[in-house]
């Protein structure tokens, strides 16, 4: 088991390098410099001043040299200072990270609670009406543009019905509320973002649990259990469900990039104070240090999630460890 | 053979429905000038923000342009983005998958590592980054979506190729001294093509959704072009007074993506149960 974990951790390193190199390269190969944003509006800026500014931010050397420098600094956990307000990029992220983690963890829990029962019930009623109805639902789920759904729900629940707040994580007067009311206030703000963020993963996950359950139900040991005269309930709960749900752990790990990637658009729509919105704003402002920091942390989160998924899988299924 | 497939396919009502919907959409896109009652860019400032009526089926926008006509022309953009992006991804994915599975060794290790990297990327972040830093626009959107969505397919094709490599007909072709190119094109490609077709069909739906998201953020089609995502962005500002500007483009995106998803799933069932 220890060997397995060490091997998996070593596997992470080249992937992390790859992701940071691509992010860095993509950013720097694009025409124009972030300093242009500061100087373009000012006709009085001379070419020489522009160069001085670029030098100040270390933008005058080739991108791979800059990448090397960036790497050296990151090794000391220094992600540099934001071009916009001079605050350290890492503290900007630290401010936003808890909100993003909260959103993603709640989404994952929500996905599991909803998607697995849908998939299992579908599989148990294979080709009957309820399976078909759920299949249609799942396909509509695959096809809905989530940002549009977000917009529609904001109108319906936020504006027409007035049940839910549509932006931010707290009401303006949250500071004056008693503790319990404050928690309730936060929960109300989370309903729509969590639902939309989970929504994109729901369809895939329920489809996957359905086919995994269908596969399992056709296994020989299930037939044996039937032959032994066990009740259907016993067979489903004790024999089928456990085996069918094992691979779900892995799929959950694989769905993380989509979840985190989705954050960049949903957090922006809901004005949610998370890392995704920070990343979006940094990209739009060409704030290199913050973009790199957000990219690296997002990749780390994904890889850590995958690692946890793989280790959990290896723990519950001993066959995996020896591959 | 084809008859068999066709019979099996039409029996699958959902998939058949998807195919019909897609055919209708394609027809509308090709015959857009005939289907659309107005020019998509034709402004009529005396009829701004009109609700749906007999004259304007789905209402008009803030410049008095007919929403229905703009939606009809929007099909062209969505389908083009879908096909071009997926075309790029399919060529890259199939090629890398065959090469990786056939040669194995160091080539395989490198390609699979690249796949790992791409699969761990929050792809939307990368797409956002590249588009924002390059020029926002429809061509960049197509290319970037294409360049970022090949890894899943590569894995799939590699696995198929691995199992084909040791089959007798491939070994025979090697013994006959056929060129690599010929072995790839004539002996391996036809045998991996069905999962490729399925994944491409499902990929088009994804590409259309991604494009609409990017256009919604203002990074896709630039005005005065009319992409559905961009219509949604413009409509968002009038959401209190003109709901139809935000509702209908979303439904259009939903149905187009749905038609490809249903078709793809139907093809999977049809082609998969061959053995």
């Amino acid at each position: 088991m220890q060997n397995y974990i060490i091997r998996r951790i070593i596997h992470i390193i080249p992937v992390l390098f790859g992701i940071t190199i691509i992010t860095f390269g993509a950013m720097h190969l694009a025409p124009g410099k972030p300093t242009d944003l500061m100087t373009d509006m000012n006709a009085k800026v001379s070419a020489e001043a522009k160069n001085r500014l670029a030098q100040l931010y270390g933008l005058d050397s080739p991108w791979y040299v800059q990448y090397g420098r960036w790497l050296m600094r990151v090794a000391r956990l220094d992600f540099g200072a934001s071009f916009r307000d001079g605050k350290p990029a890492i503290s900007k992220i630290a401010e936003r990270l808890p909100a993003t983690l909260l959103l993603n963890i709640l989404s994952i829990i929500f996905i599991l609670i909803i998607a697995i029962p849908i998939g299992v019930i579908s599989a148990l009623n294979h080709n009957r009406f309820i399976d078909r109805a759920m299949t249609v639902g799942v396909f509509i789920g695959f096809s809905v543009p989530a940002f549009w759904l977000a917009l529609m729900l904001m109108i319906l629940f936020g504006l027409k019905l007035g049940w839910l707040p549509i932006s931010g994580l707290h009401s303006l007067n949250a500071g004056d509320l008693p503790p319990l009311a404050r928690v309730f206030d936060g929960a109300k703000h989370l309903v729509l973002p969590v639902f939309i963020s989970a929504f994109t993963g729901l369809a895939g996950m329920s489809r996957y649990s359905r086919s995994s359950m269908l596969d399992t139900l056709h296994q020989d040991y299930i037939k044996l259990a039937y032959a032994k005269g066990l009740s259907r309930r016993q067979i489903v709960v004790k024999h089928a469900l456990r085996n069918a749900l094992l691979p779900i752990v892995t799929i959950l790990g694989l769905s993380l990039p989509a979840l985190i990637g989705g954050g960049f658009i949903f957090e922006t729509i809901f004005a949610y104070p998370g890392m995704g919105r920070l990343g979006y704003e940094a990209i739009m402002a060409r704030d290199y240090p913050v973009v790199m920091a957000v990219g690296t942390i997002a990749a780390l989160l994904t890889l850590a999630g995958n690692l946890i998924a793989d280790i959990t899988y290896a723990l519950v299924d001993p066959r995996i460890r020896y591959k | 053979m084809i008859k068999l497939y066709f019979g099996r396919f039409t029996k699958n009502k959902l998939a058949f429905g998807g195919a019909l919907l897609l055919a209708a959409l394609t027809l509308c896109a090709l015959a857009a000038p005939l289907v659309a009652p107005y020019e998509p860019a034709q402004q009529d400032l005396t009829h701004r923000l009109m609700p749906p009526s007999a004259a304007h089926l789905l209402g008009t926008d803030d410049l008095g342009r007919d929403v229905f006509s703009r939606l009809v022309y929007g099909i062209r953009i969505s389908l083009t983005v879908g096909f071009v992006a997926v075309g790029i991804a399919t060529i890259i994915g199939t090629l890398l998958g065959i090469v990786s599975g056939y040669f194995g060794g160091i080539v395989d290790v490198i390609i699979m590592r690249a796949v790992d990297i791409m699969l761990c990327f929050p792809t939307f972040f990368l797409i956002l980054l590249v588009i924002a830093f390059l020029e926002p626009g429809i061509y960049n959107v197509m290319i970037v979506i294409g360049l970022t969505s090949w890894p899943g397919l590569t894995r799939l094709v590699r696995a198929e190729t691995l199992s084909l490599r040791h089959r007798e007909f491939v070994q025979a072709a090697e013994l006959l001294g056929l060129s690599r190119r010929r072995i790839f094109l004539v002996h391996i490609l036809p045998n991996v093509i069905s999962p490729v077709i399925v994944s491409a069909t499902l990929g088009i739906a994804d590409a259309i959704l991604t494009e609409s998201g990017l256009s919604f953020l203002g990074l896709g089609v630039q005005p005065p072009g009319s992409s559905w995502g961009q219509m949604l962005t413009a409509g968002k500002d009038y959401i209190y007074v003109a709901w139809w500007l935000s509702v209908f483009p979303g439904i259009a995106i939903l149905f187009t993506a749905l038609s490809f998803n249903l078709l793809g799933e139907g093809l999977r069932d049809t082609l998969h149960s061959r053995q």
Side-chain angles (χ1 to χ4, degrees):
Chain A
M1 190 65 203
Q2 224 171 20
N3 278 339
Y4 176 78
I5 296 178
I6 292 171
R7 245 186 314 155
R8 287 291 293 111
I9 291 178
I10 292 174
H11 186 88
I12 282 183
I13 296 169
V15 175
L16 203 55
F17 265 105
I19 290 181
T20 52
I21 289 178
I22 294 175
T23 313
F24 207 86
M27 216 162 58
H28 285 260
L29 294 179
K33 291 197 174 99
T35 46
D36 292 348
L37 285 183
M38 309 178 191
T39 54
D40 272 356
M41 288 298 165
N42 191 342
K44 282 195 211 145
V45 177
S46 66
E48 192 206 346
K50 276 188 188 179
N51 286 337
R52 262 206 317 264
L53 203 55
Q55 229 166 23
L56 176 69
Y57 288 111
L59 294 166
D60 50 343
S61 28
W63 74 271
Y64 46 87
V65 175
Q66 292 186 43
Y67 177 75
R69 274 193 217 134
W70 179 83
L71 216 54
M72 302 288 272
R73 275 191 281 118
V74 169
R76 289 174 314 212
L77 287 179
D78 172 14
F79 280 90
S82 161
F83 284 169
R84 278 203 297 176
D85 53 13
K87 276 206 246 166
I90 195 74
S91 65
K92 288 185 86 125
I93 288 185
E95 272 169 29
R96 301 292 191 93
L97 196 59
T100 290
L101 284 179
L102 181 69
L103 181 66
N104 282 320
I105 291 172
L106 287 176
S107 305
I108 290 175
I109 295 173
F110 190 70
I111 289 176
L112 289 177
I113 292 178
I114 305 286
I116 292 178
I118 290 182
V120 170
I121 292 171
S122 240
L124 290 176
N125 296 286
H126 188 44
N127 274 341
R128 290 203 208 122
F129 174 74
I130 187 158
D131 178 29
R132 299 201 175 189
M134 282 177 169
T135 303
V136 173
V138 164
F139 274 104
I140 293 177
F142 268 129
S143 316
V144 174
F147 64 91
W148 173 73
L149 187 67
L151 210 60
M152 294 294 110
L153 293 181
M154 279 163 83
I155 301 174
L156 182 65
F157 291 109
L159 301 176
K160 295 263 187 247
L161 297 172
W163 292 352
L164 295 168
I166 54 171
S167 73
L169 189 50
H170 299 289
S171 301
L172 289 174
N173 62 349
D176 308 331
L177 295 170
L180 204 64
R182 208 148 70 196
V183 172
F184 186 66
D185 177 65
K188 259 173 46 177
H189 280 83
L190 275 167
V191 173
L192 285 181
V194 168
F195 178 77
I196 291 295
S197 166
F199 185 83
T200 35
L202 270 180
M205 188 64 78
S206 57
R207 196 73 188 152
Y208 193 84
S209 6
R210 176 178 177 268
S211 61
S212 175
M213 190 71 186
L214 275 180
D215 270 355
T216 312
L217 288 174
H218 286 110
Q219 297 291 324
D220 286 340
Y221 56 81
I222 298 292
K223 282 179 199 143
L224 177 75
Y226 272 112
K228 225 162 59 166
L230 292 185
S231 72
R232 185 172 158 86
R233 194 192 155 78
Q234 263 177 318
I235 292 170
V236 169
V237 175
K238 272 202 171 160
H239 296 254
L241 211 51
R242 281 191 194 175
N243 286 298
L245 296 187
L246 269 185
I248 300 282
V249 181
T250 318
I251 295 297
L252 204 58
L254 285 176
S255 66
L256 278 179
L259 211 55
I260 292 176
F264 289 94
I265 184 165
F266 307 137
E267 289 185 4
T268 307
I269 294 178
F270 288 112
Y272 187 85
M275 206 176 70
R277 192 167 127 230
L278 178 70
Y280 175 75
E281 287 163 358
I283 287 177
M284 289 307 165
R286 296 210 167 193
D287 194 346
Y288 286 4
V290 178
V291 172
M292 277 312 286
V294 169
T296 312
I297 302 291
L300 264 177
L301 280 183
T302 312
L303 289 166
N306 275 334
L307 184 68
I308 293 172
D310 283 351
I311 291 176
T312 318
Y313 196 19
L315 275 178
V316 290
D317 189 345
R319 284 170 300 183
I320 298 300
R321 270 172 259 169
Y322 304 107
K323 262 189 195 164
Chain B
M1 189 76 162
I2 287 176
K3 221 176 180 178
L4 174 80
Y5 280 160
F6 189 72
R8 205 186 273 154
F9 187 74
T10 45
K11 232 187 274 167
N12 186 340
K13 279 184 212 128
L14 277 181
F16 194 57
L20 282 183
L21 188 58
L22 183 59
L25 283 169
T26 314
L27 216 63
C28 278
L30 291 174
L34 300 175
V35 180
Y38 300 87
E39 282 287 311
Q42 179 193 328
Q43 302 182 3
D44 177 2
L45 294 177
T46 54
H47 290 98
R48 297 176 65 233
L49 300 173
M50 300 289 281
S53 65
H56 297 279
L57 270 181
L58 303 179
T60 63
D61 69 2
D62 53 313
L63 295 173
R65 296 173 296 193
D66 183 54
V67 172
F68 178 68
S69 306
R70 287 173 71 72
L71 282 181
V72 169
Y73 276 89
I75 304 173
R76 289 182 169 180
I77 304 226
S78 280
L79 291 186
T80 314
V81 171
F83 279 104
V84 173
V86 167
I88 295 173
T90 305
I91 292 171
I92 300 177
T94 312
L95 199 72
L96 288 182
I98 292 181
V99 167
S100 184
Y102 186 84
F103 289 114
I106 184 79
V107 179
D108 184 36
V109 171
I110 293 174
I111 293 178
M112 282 302 110
R113 226 3 94 72
V115 168
D116 282 345
I117 292 173
M118 293 303 287
L119 283 178
C120 284
F121 231 117
T123 319
F124 199 76
F125 174 70
L126 181 62
I127 297 179
L128 208 61
L129 184 76
V130 176
I131 307 267
F133 280 29
L134 291 174
E135 201 90 326
I138 195 67
Y139 295 104
N140 284 333
V141 168
M142 292 191 256
I143 294 169
V144 174
I145 295 178
L147 288 181
T148 48
S149 43
W150 51 269
L153 182 65
T154 305
R155 262 203 184 158
L156 208 72
V157 173
R158 172 179 174 268
E160 294 276 319
T161 310
L162 271 180
S163 73
L164 288 171
R165 194 177 58 177
H166 298 295
R167 294 271 289 279
E168 289 84 351
F169 65 92
V170 175
Q171 307 249 305
E174 276 170 10
L175 284 176
L176 283 172
L178 296 185
S179 69
R180 287 266 154 74
R181 215 178 72 139
R182 202 174 148 79
I183 294 177
F184 286 177
L185 285 180
V186 181
H187 298 275
I188 294 185
L189 190 61
N191 286 295
V192 299
I193 203 78
S194 45
V196 170
I197 291 173
V198 171
S199 123
T201 315
L202 297 172
I204 291 177
D206 274 342
I208 289 174
L209 289 175
T210 308
E211 182 274 327
S212 66
L214 288 170
S215 289
F216 181 71
L217 293 175
L219 296 170
V221 176
Q222 301 299 305
S226 68
S227 130
W228 294 337
Q230 183 227 322
M231 287 173 72
L232 274 173
T233 316
K236 193 179 58 172
D237 300 335
Y238 296 94
I239 211 152
Y240 302 100
V241 285
W243 55 268
W244 54 92
L245 293 182
S246 307
V247 172
F248 294 125
I251 294 178
I253 300 169
L254 166 62
F255 275 101
T256 313
L258 186 63
S259 73
F260 281 104
N261 275 328
L262 290 176
L263 181 66
E265 197 63 19
L267 287 175
R268 191 204 300 274
D269 290 345
T270 312
L271 299 172
H272 198 67
S273 40
R274 178 180 46 175
Q275 282 95 11

